[in-house]
Amino acid sequence: LTKASAKSRSDSLKDEEQRLAEAQGSVVRLVDKVKEETVEVEKAMEDLKKAQEELMNDPLMKAADLKSGGIVKQGALVGTLLFSFRSFGELLLMAGPNGADHGVAAAVQAVIALACAAYFIFV
């Protein structure tokens, strides 16, 4: 009975050792896979950062990004729109009485609108 019990325990230990070796091999493969995936993710993150930098350097994107531009850039956009519409309105009023006065006002407001637009686009 003792020999049979010892043999049974020995076989059981061998089975456990074999399962442990298989599990260790599986863990090693899993760790290698994680390392490979980590490298790929890091590369993808670098590519995304480069793409974001290129996108943020695009003049059209700079113009569209009002939040990061701050209150001054937002004010320049509002000034551009406001003075453009006012200048157009003054141009329409030139057909009526005191047309020359409206022409001067239209020209001044157009210059202010252009200055605001230049600041908005180039700064």
Side-chain angles (χ1 to χ4, degrees), residues 92-115:
L92 292 177
L93 291 174
M94 281 178 58
N98 296 329
D101 292 338
H102 291 293
V104 171
V108 169
Q109 291 171 11
V111 168
I112 294 171
L114 288 174

Side-chain angles (χ1 to χ4, degrees), residues 44-59:
M45 287 180 65
E46 288 177 15
D47 291 344
L48 283 174
K49 285 180 183 178
K50 287 178 185 176
Q52 183 180 18
E53 288 174 6
E54 289 175 6
L55 185 63
M56 293 309 290
N57 288 333
D58 182 27

Side-chain angles (χ1 to χ4, degrees), residues 37-117:
E37 293 293 327
T38 301
V39 169
E40 289 179 23
V41 167
E42 288 174 352
K43 183 181 176 189
M45 287 180 65
E46 288 177 15
D47 291 344
L48 283 174
K49 285 180 183 178
K50 287 178 185 176
Q52 183 180 18
E53 288 174 6
E54 289 175 6
L55 185 63
M56 293 309 290
N57 288 333
D58 182 27
L60 184 60
M61 187 62 181
K62 285 182 182 179
D65 190 17
L66 289 176
K67 283 186 180 180
S68 70
I71 192 76
V72 176
K73 190 156 190 160
Q74 293 170 5
L77 176 64
V78 170
T80 300
L81 295 174
L82 173 71
F83 285 109
S84 295
F85 288 128
R86 286 187 55 96
S87 176
F88 181 70
E90 292 288 341
L91 283 173
L92 292 177
L93 291 174
M94 281 178 58
N98 296 329
D101 292 338
H102 291 293
V104 171
V108 169
Q109 291 171 11
V111 168
I112 294 171
L114 288 174
C116 289

